[in-house]
Amino acid sequence: MSATYALNPKVSLAETDDGAVLLHERTGRYWQLNATGLLVLRSLTSGDSPEQAAQTLASRHTLPASRARDDVAALLASLRSADLLREGR
């Protein structure tokens, strides 16, 4: 069974014209995602696997599959490292 992802309950998301801003309420830190980052985040939090998110990214932006996988993996690692996104089962 693959992992599912959700925003940390202490994180607020506000969409902007260019993507989204995330606020970690416990730390008071802000992060900004561009429209592509928001696309990946929405994909992951709607139940898609990182591979599915990469496929969506590759098809929407005409990227090689390997590049899309690397980009999704890097964003996922950053979001998890900053405690913005959590993994569940």
Side-chain angles (χ1 to χ4, degrees), residues 8 10-11 23-29 82-83 86:
N8 178 331
K10 297 286 185 190
V11 173
L23 167 64
H24 196 299
E25 296 167 8
R26 185 180 56 77
T27 65
R29 294 192 62 195
D83 194 29
R86 294 196 171 166

Side-chain angles (χ1 to χ4, degrees), residues 9-27:
K10 297 286 185 190
V11 173
S12 298
L13 181 143
E15 291 193 32
T16 66
D17 290 341
D18 300 320
V21 174
L22 302 169
L23 167 64
H24 196 299
E25 296 167 8
R26 185 180 56 77
T27 65

